[in-house]
PDB file of all heavy atoms in Angstrom:
ATOM      1  N   VAL T 312      -8.416  13.539  -4.822  1.00  0.00           N
ATOM      2  CA  VAL T 312      -8.885  12.553  -3.854  1.00  0.00           C
ATOM      3  C   VAL T 312     -10.364  12.787  -3.558  1.00  0.00           C
ATOM      4  O   VAL T 312     -10.817  13.933  -3.463  1.00  0.00           O
ATOM      5  CB  VAL T 312      -8.060  12.649  -2.553  1.00  0.00           C
ATOM      6  CG1 VAL T 312      -8.628  11.733  -1.471  1.00  0.00           C
ATOM      7  CG2 VAL T 312      -6.606  12.300  -2.822  1.00  0.00           C
ATOM      8  N   THR T 313     -11.120  11.699  -3.399  1.00  0.00           N
ATOM      9  CA  THR T 313     -12.522  11.766  -3.008  1.00  0.00           C
ATOM     10  C   THR T 313     -12.687  11.082  -1.644  1.00  0.00           C
ATOM     11  O   THR T 313     -11.801  10.327  -1.205  1.00  0.00           O
ATOM     12  CB  THR T 313     -13.424  11.058  -4.034  1.00  0.00           C
ATOM     13  OG1 THR T 313     -13.134   9.652  -4.011  1.00  0.00           O
ATOM     14  CG2 THR T 313     -13.189  11.605  -5.435  1.00  0.00           C
ATOM     15  N   PRO T 314     -13.814  11.299  -0.968  1.00  0.00           N
ATOM     16  CA  PRO T 314     -14.051  10.595   0.310  1.00  0.00           C
ATOM     17  C   PRO T 314     -14.001   9.077   0.163  1.00  0.00           C
ATOM     18  O   PRO T 314     -13.590   8.377   1.103  1.00  0.00           O
ATOM     19  CB  PRO T 314     -15.454  11.073   0.709  1.00  0.00           C
ATOM     20  CG  PRO T 314     -15.592  12.413   0.071  1.00  0.00           C
ATOM     21  CD  PRO T 314     -14.859  12.311  -1.225  1.00  0.00           C
ATOM     22  N   GLU T 315     -14.393   8.551  -0.989  1.00  0.00           N
ATOM     23  CA  GLU T 315     -14.356   7.100  -1.200  1.00  0.00           C
ATOM     24  C   GLU T 315     -12.924   6.572  -1.171  1.00  0.00           C
ATOM     25  O   GLU T 315     -12.676   5.457  -0.712  1.00  0.00           O
ATOM     26  CB  GLU T 315     -15.033   6.744  -2.532  1.00  0.00           C
ATOM     27  CG  GLU T 315     -16.532   6.997  -2.546  1.00  0.00           C
ATOM     28  CD  GLU T 315     -17.253   6.276  -1.410  1.00  0.00           C
ATOM     29  OE1 GLU T 315     -16.964   5.079  -1.188  1.00  0.00           O
ATOM     30  OE2 GLU T 315     -18.076   6.908  -0.740  1.00  0.00           O
ATOM     31  N   ASP T 316     -11.984   7.345  -1.690  1.00  0.00           N
ATOM     32  CA  ASP T 316     -10.573   6.941  -1.640  1.00  0.00           C
ATOM     33  C   ASP T 316     -10.097   6.841  -0.193  1.00  0.00           C
ATOM     34  O   ASP T 316      -9.371   5.913   0.174  1.00  0.00           O
ATOM     35  CB  ASP T 316      -9.701   7.939  -2.402  1.00  0.00           C
ATOM     36  CG  ASP T 316     -10.040   8.025  -3.878  1.00  0.00           C
ATOM     37  OD1 ASP T 316     -10.337   6.973  -4.470  1.00  0.00           O
ATOM     38  OD2 ASP T 316     -10.025   9.134  -4.425  1.00  0.00           O
ATOM     39  N   ILE T 317     -10.523   7.795   0.620  1.00  0.00           N
ATOM     40  CA  ILE T 317     -10.138   7.804   2.038  1.00  0.00           C
ATOM     41  C   ILE T 317     -10.760   6.614   2.761  1.00  0.00           C
ATOM     42  O   ILE T 317     -10.105   5.943   3.566  1.00  0.00           O
ATOM     43  CB  ILE T 317     -10.554   9.136   2.695  1.00  0.00           C
ATOM     44  CG1 ILE T 317      -9.773  10.299   2.049  1.00  0.00           C
ATOM     45  CG2 ILE T 317     -10.322   9.104   4.203  1.00  0.00           C
ATOM     46  CD1 ILE T 317     -10.238  11.673   2.455  1.00  0.00           C
ATOM     47  N   LYS T 318     -12.021   6.323   2.469  1.00  0.00           N
ATOM     48  CA  LYS T 318     -12.684   5.172   3.073  1.00  0.00           C
ATOM     49  C   LYS T 318     -11.995   3.866   2.684  1.00  0.00           C
ATOM     50  O   LYS T 318     -11.826   2.960   3.500  1.00  0.00           O
ATOM     51  CB  LYS T 318     -14.155   5.117   2.635  1.00  0.00           C
ATOM     52  CG  LYS T 318     -15.039   6.153   3.286  1.00  0.00           C
ATOM     53  CD  LYS T 318     -16.467   5.951   2.825  1.00  0.00           C
ATOM     54  CE  LYS T 318     -17.418   6.923   3.494  1.00  0.00           C
ATOM     55  NZ  LYS T 318     -18.811   6.692   3.063  1.00  0.00           N
ATOM     56  N   GLN T 319     -11.606   3.773   1.406  1.00  0.00           N
ATOM     57  CA  GLN T 319     -10.925   2.570   0.929  1.00  0.00           C
ATOM     58  C   GLN T 319      -9.600   2.367   1.633  1.00  0.00           C
ATOM     59  O   GLN T 319      -9.175   1.229   1.900  1.00  0.00           O
ATOM     60  CB  GLN T 319     -10.717   2.663  -0.583  1.00  0.00           C
ATOM     61  CG  GLN T 319     -10.161   1.393  -1.217  1.00  0.00           C
ATOM     62  CD  GLN T 319     -10.008   1.508  -2.727  1.00  0.00           C
ATOM     63  OE1 GLN T 319     -10.353   2.543  -3.323  1.00  0.00           O
ATOM     64  NE2 GLN T 319      -9.499   0.468  -3.348  1.00  0.00           N
ATOM     65  N   ALA T 320      -8.934   3.462   1.980  1.00  0.00           N
ATOM     66  CA  ALA T 320      -7.617   3.368   2.615  1.00  0.00           C
ATOM     67  C   ALA T 320      -7.699   3.167   4.123  1.00  0.00           C
ATOM     68  O   ALA T 320      -6.766   2.629   4.726  1.00  0.00           O
ATOM     69  CB  ALA T 320      -6.814   4.640   2.319  1.00  0.00           C
ATOM     70  N   ALA T 321      -8.800   3.571   4.736  1.00  0.00           N
ATOM     71  CA  ALA T 321      -8.862   3.654   6.203  1.00  0.00           C
ATOM     72  C   ALA T 321      -8.646   2.314   6.900  1.00  0.00           C
ATOM     73  O   ALA T 321      -7.826   2.218   7.820  1.00  0.00           O
ATOM     74  CB  ALA T 321     -10.203   4.257   6.631  1.00  0.00           C
ATOM     75  N   ILE T 322      -9.358   1.270   6.487  1.00  0.00           N
ATOM     76  CA  ILE T 322      -9.278  -0.013   7.203  1.00  0.00           C
ATOM     77  C   ILE T 322      -7.890  -0.652   7.079  1.00  0.00           C
ATOM     78  O   ILE T 322      -7.279  -0.996   8.093  1.00  0.00           O
ATOM     79  CB  ILE T 322     -10.389  -0.971   6.751  1.00  0.00           C
ATOM     80  CG1 ILE T 322     -11.740  -0.451   7.233  1.00  0.00           C
ATOM     81  CG2 ILE T 322     -10.142  -2.385   7.288  1.00  0.00           C
ATOM     82  CD1 ILE T 322     -12.923  -1.272   6.790  1.00  0.00           C
ATOM     83  N   PRO T 323      -7.331  -0.842   5.857  1.00  0.00           N
ATOM     84  CA  PRO T 323      -5.995  -1.449   5.784  1.00  0.00           C
ATOM     85  C   PRO T 323      -4.898  -0.606   6.424  1.00  0.00           C
ATOM     86  O   PRO T 323      -3.874  -1.140   6.850  1.00  0.00           O
ATOM     87  CB  PRO T 323      -5.754  -1.613   4.278  1.00  0.00           C
ATOM     88  CG  PRO T 323      -6.695  -0.683   3.616  1.00  0.00           C
ATOM     89  CD  PRO T 323      -7.885  -0.598   4.506  1.00  0.00           C
ATOM     90  N   VAL T 324      -5.105   0.704   6.534  1.00  0.00           N
ATOM     91  CA  VAL T 324      -4.108   1.565   7.169  1.00  0.00           C
ATOM     92  C   VAL T 324      -4.221   1.530   8.691  1.00  0.00           C
ATOM     93  O   VAL T 324      -3.212   1.555   9.402  1.00  0.00           O
ATOM     94  CB  VAL T 324      -4.245   3.021   6.663  1.00  0.00           C
ATOM     95  CG1 VAL T 324      -3.479   3.990   7.554  1.00  0.00           C
ATOM     96  CG2 VAL T 324      -3.739   3.134   5.230  1.00  0.00           C
ATOM     97  N   LEU T 325      -5.445   1.427   9.209  1.00  0.00           N
ATOM     98  CA  LEU T 325      -5.662   1.581  10.646  1.00  0.00           C
ATOM     99  C   LEU T 325      -5.752   0.280  11.425  1.00  0.00           C
ATOM    100  O   LEU T 325      -5.477   0.268  12.632  1.00  0.00           O
ATOM    101  CB  LEU T 325      -6.943   2.386  10.892  1.00  0.00           C
ATOM    102  CG  LEU T 325      -6.936   3.862  10.465  1.00  0.00           C
ATOM    103  CD1 LEU T 325      -8.298   4.488  10.709  1.00  0.00           C
ATOM    104  CD2 LEU T 325      -5.855   4.629  11.212  1.00  0.00           C
ATOM    105  N   GLN T 326      -6.147  -0.826  10.796  1.00  0.00           N
ATOM    106  CA  GLN T 326      -6.496  -2.015  11.570  1.00  0.00           C
ATOM    107  C   GLN T 326      -5.326  -2.594  12.374  1.00  0.00           C
ATOM    108  O   GLN T 326      -5.545  -3.286  13.367  1.00  0.00           O
ATOM    109  CB  GLN T 326      -7.097  -3.090  10.670  1.00  0.00           C
ATOM    110  CG  GLN T 326      -6.169  -3.647   9.611  1.00  0.00           C
ATOM    111  CD  GLN T 326      -6.841  -4.759   8.815  1.00  0.00           C
ATOM    112  OE1 GLN T 326      -7.823  -5.336   9.241  1.00  0.00           O
ATOM    113  NE2 GLN T 326      -6.302  -5.055   7.649  1.00  0.00           N
ATOM    114  N   HIS T 327      -4.088  -2.337  11.963  1.00  0.00           N
ATOM    115  CA  HIS T 327      -2.936  -2.824  12.722  1.00  0.00           C
ATOM    116  C   HIS T 327      -2.321  -1.745  13.604  1.00  0.00           C
ATOM    117  O   HIS T 327      -1.323  -1.991  14.291  1.00  0.00           O
ATOM    118  CB  HIS T 327      -1.868  -3.377  11.774  1.00  0.00           C
ATOM    119  CG  HIS T 327      -1.359  -2.370  10.775  1.00  0.00           C
ATOM    120  ND1 HIS T 327      -2.148  -1.868   9.776  1.00  0.00           N
ATOM    121  CD2 HIS T 327      -0.145  -1.784  10.622  1.00  0.00           C
ATOM    122  CE1 HIS T 327      -1.446  -1.012   9.048  1.00  0.00           C
ATOM    123  NE2 HIS T 327      -0.231  -0.936   9.545  1.00  0.00           N
ATOM    124  N   ARG T 328      -2.923  -0.560  13.603  1.00  0.00           N
ATOM    125  CA  ARG T 328      -2.370   0.553  14.378  1.00  0.00           C
ATOM    126  C   ARG T 328      -3.170   0.845  15.640  1.00  0.00           C
ATOM    127  O   ARG T 328      -2.738   1.635  16.470  1.00  0.00           O
ATOM    128  CB  ARG T 328      -2.325   1.821  13.511  1.00  0.00           C
ATOM    129  CG  ARG T 328      -1.256   1.789  12.424  1.00  0.00           C
ATOM    130  CD  ARG T 328      -1.257   3.101  11.656  1.00  0.00           C
ATOM    131  NE  ARG T 328      -0.003   3.322  10.969  1.00  0.00           N
ATOM    132  CZ  ARG T 328       0.239   2.976   9.710  1.00  0.00           C
ATOM    133  NH1 ARG T 328      -0.696   2.369   9.018  1.00  0.00           N
ATOM    134  NH2 ARG T 328       1.409   3.225   9.160  1.00  0.00           N
ATOM    135  N   VAL T 329      -4.357   0.272  15.765  1.00  0.00           N
ATOM    136  CA  VAL T 329      -5.185   0.498  16.952  1.00  0.00           C
ATOM    137  C   VAL T 329      -5.335  -0.812  17.720  1.00  0.00           C
ATOM    138  O   VAL T 329      -5.187  -1.892  17.146  1.00  0.00           O
ATOM    139  CB  VAL T 329      -6.571   1.057  16.561  1.00  0.00           C
ATOM    140  CG1 VAL T 329      -6.431   2.414  15.881  1.00  0.00           C
ATOM    141  CG2 VAL T 329      -7.324   0.096  15.651  1.00  0.00           C
ATOM    142  N   ILE T 330      -5.628  -0.702  19.013  1.00  0.00           N
ATOM    143  CA  ILE T 330      -5.763  -1.881  19.863  1.00  0.00           C
ATOM    144  C   ILE T 330      -7.119  -1.836  20.561  1.00  0.00           C
ATOM    145  O   ILE T 330      -7.488  -0.816  21.164  1.00  0.00           O
ATOM    146  CB  ILE T 330      -4.638  -1.953  20.919  1.00  0.00           C
ATOM    147  CG1 ILE T 330      -3.272  -2.040  20.237  1.00  0.00           C
ATOM    148  CG2 ILE T 330      -4.841  -3.153  21.846  1.00  0.00           C
ATOM    149  CD1 ILE T 330      -2.109  -2.031  21.215  1.00  0.00           C
ATOM    150  N   VAL T 331      -7.854  -2.936  20.475  1.00  0.00           N
ATOM    151  CA  VAL T 331      -9.156  -3.042  21.114  1.00  0.00           C
ATOM    152  C   VAL T 331      -8.970  -3.243  22.617  1.00  0.00           C
ATOM    153  O   VAL T 331      -8.013  -3.892  23.061  1.00  0.00           O
ATOM    154  CB  VAL T 331      -9.951  -4.232  20.524  1.00  0.00           C
ATOM    155  CG1 VAL T 331     -11.349  -4.318  21.131  1.00  0.00           C
ATOM    156  CG2 VAL T 331     -10.053  -4.092  19.010  1.00  0.00           C
ATOM    157  N   THR T 332      -9.866  -2.664  23.410  1.00  0.00           N
ATOM    158  CA  THR T 332      -9.806  -2.858  24.855  1.00  0.00           C
ATOM    159  C   THR T 332     -10.013  -4.336  25.186  1.00  0.00           C
ATOM    160  O   THR T 332     -10.718  -5.043  24.470  1.00  0.00           O
ATOM    161  CB  THR T 332     -10.884  -2.017  25.571  1.00  0.00           C
ATOM    162  OG1 THR T 332     -12.176  -2.391  25.065  1.00  0.00           O
ATOM    163  CG2 THR T 332     -10.664  -0.534  25.346  1.00  0.00           C
ATOM    164  N   PRO T 333      -9.391  -4.813  26.267  1.00  0.00           N
ATOM    165  CA  PRO T 333      -9.516  -6.244  26.608  1.00  0.00           C
ATOM    166  C   PRO T 333     -10.961  -6.708  26.760  1.00  0.00           C
ATOM    167  O   PRO T 333     -11.308  -7.831  26.372  1.00  0.00           O
ATOM    168  CB  PRO T 333      -8.760  -6.336  27.940  1.00  0.00           C
ATOM    169  CG  PRO T 333      -7.796  -5.194  27.925  1.00  0.00           C
ATOM    170  CD  PRO T 333      -8.490  -4.103  27.182  1.00  0.00           C
TER     171      PRO T 333
END
Side-chain angles (χ1 to χ4, degrees):
V312 174
T313 67
E315 292 305 314
D316 298 322
I317 296 171
K318 286 183 177 182
Q319 187 178 358
I322 291 177
V324 165
L325 293 177
Q326 64 177 341
H327 59 293
R328 288 182 159 93
V329 297
I330 299 177
V331 183
T332 58

